[in-house]
Amino acid sequence: MQTTILLALLCGLRAVSAFVLQSPVTSIVPSSRRPLPHAAAGVGESRVQDVAAIILAGGVGSRMKANMPKQFLELRGKPVLQHSLELFRSLDGISRIILVIDQQYRDQFKTMQEEEPRLVFADPGIERQNSVFNGLQAVHEGASVVCIHDAARPLVTKECIYQVLRDAEEHGAAVLGVPMKATVKESEDGQFVLRTIDRSRLWEIQTPQVIKPALLREGFERVEQEKLEVTDDVSIIEQLGLPVKLTMGEYTNLKLTTPDDMVVAEQILKSRDAL
């Protein structure tokens, strides 16, 4: 009951990122719960090999109002970042894990790196797109796709990751997302409503976002040439005029942004333990 109430409050209050669809270090126990309607079907393996995973962990997370970056806050007995690292280490088909993190925090991962030869580091940039670009430079030759994930989303499931990997391999680029639940209104001045946007065309976009390396490099060339600023990874592919496949995700794949999100995440993980 508590989980239901918290999730309902979260969906009603937290800000979401969306775009309009255009017409034509221990192991994680995999979740065995029933997926949401129309969510990615459960699978035992990805069938996509030679995946390069970029985990973005360079943010400060000022809205969390904590004394450390949010990726190092404790969630169910271990740092938020560790949840994502352990998950990607356990996935089938991952050939390299690129952790984008400031050098001052790397010492705590030395032991893991000694045990995990797939783990390499990259420097964070000023903006997200700069961090992704830096991570891209560490992608190994022959990688089938680049899977970009926010460390601040520790609740994503294997099933969803495997599905978005398959979709990207087929279509060139894919992103996890869920249909928008909230009513969204546009305002020009922040004081009065201009119009109500048709939410049937709106999706809340999540990570991972998965792109074939050649397309991502081509997209970054366009971004550099035209001095563009993009807020998420598949927007780079949109700049090329190429399609991006929407992969149905789960509403529990939260981005931890505020202290309330940490409470909800604790409840979600607790409910998964009970299944």
Side-chain angles (χ1 to χ4, degrees):
M1 183 65 177
Q2 289 179 338
T3 303
T4 302
I5 294 173
L6 285 167
L7 286 173
L9 288 171
L10 181 70
C11 291
L13 296 176
R14 71 197 297 262
V16 294
S17 61
F19 69 83
V20 179
L21 288 176
Q22 302 297 320
S23 57
V25 187
T26 54
S27 64
I28 295 291
V29 178
S31 172
S32 59
R33 71 198 185 288
R34 185 188 303 274
L36 291 173
H38 309 300
V43 291
E45 58 182 20
S46 71
R47 300 198 299 273
V48 181
Q49 301 300 310
D50 290 327
V51 175
I54 298 176
I55 300 178
L56 301 176
V60 176
S62 57
R63 284 179 288 178
M64 189 61 75
K65 301 178 181 179
N67 60 357
M68 65 181 73
K70 60 187 176 183
Q71 58 268 31
F72 299 112
L73 294 176
E74 186 173 296
L75 176 63
R76 297 281 284 175
K78 54 191 172 186
V80 167
L81 172 56
Q82 188 172 326
H83 288 268
S84 292
L85 280 174
E86 290 176 358
L87 176 59
F88 276 89
R89 289 180 68 186
S90 72
L91 292 175
D92 173 66
I94 304 296
S95 296
R96 180 164 295 185
I97 301 171
I98 303 157
L99 181 57
V100 180
I101 192 169
D102 194 274
Q103 291 192 14
Q104 64 177 311
Y105 300 113
R106 293 181 188 177
D107 284 348
Q108 59 191 286
F109 298 100
K110 281 186 176 180
T111 300
M112 180 185 291
Q113 191 176 36
E114 291 172 359
E115 300 172 348
E116 178 55 85
R118 295 176 297 173
L119 180 62
V120 298
F121 297 112
D123 293 326
I126 298 175
E127 302 293 342
R128 178 195 176 88
Q129 67 190 63
N130 307 119
S131 294
V132 174
F133 180 81
N134 292 345
L136 180 61
Q137 308 317 301
V139 169
H140 60 287
E141 186 174 351
S144 59
V145 292
V146 180
C147 178
I148 305 160
H149 186 60
D150 293 331
R153 288 188 187 270
L155 304 177
V156 67
T157 63
K158 280 187 177 184
E159 292 84 1
C160 284
I161 295 175
Y162 285 158
Q163 186 61 53
V164 75
L165 288 176
R166 287 195 296 270
D167 285 347
E169 185 180 52
E170 179 179 353
H171 299 281
V175 59
L176 279 182
V178 289
M180 197 80 152
K181 287 183 176 181
T183 298
V184 180
K185 295 185 182 294
E186 181 181 354
S187 173
E188 286 185 328
D189 57 8
Q191 300 292 323
F192 295 94
V193 171
L194 175 64
R195 65 188 177 104
T196 301
I197 299 174
D198 180 7
R199 70 181 177 191
S200 69
R201 294 164 57 99
L202 298 178
W203 284 64
E204 180 183 348
I205 296 310
Q206 305 173 343
T207 67
Q209 303 192 15
V210 187
I211 305 165
K212 289 188 175 181
L215 290 181
L216 189 54
R217 292 189 179 98
E218 183 182 351
F220 268 116
E221 290 179 6
R222 173 72 62 85
V223 167
E224 176 63 25
Q225 290 172 359
E226 301 185 12
K227 304 301 180 185
L228 303 173
E229 292 186 7
V230 291
T231 57
D232 73 339
D233 314 308
V234 292
S235 294
I236 296 173
I237 305 307
E238 293 171 44
Q239 294 296 328
L240 298 174
L242 298 175
V244 176
K245 178 70 170 66
L246 277 168
T247 301
M248 181 66 73
E250 296 180 338
Y251 288 98
T252 53
N253 184 15
L254 308 178
K255 185 174 184 180
L256 305 183
T257 305
T258 68
D260 287 343
D261 296 333
M262 294 293 292
V263 176
V264 175
E266 290 272 359
Q267 291 296 324
I268 292 171
L269 289 176
K270 184 178 179 180
S271 68
R272 290 179 181 178
D273 289 345
L275 295 177

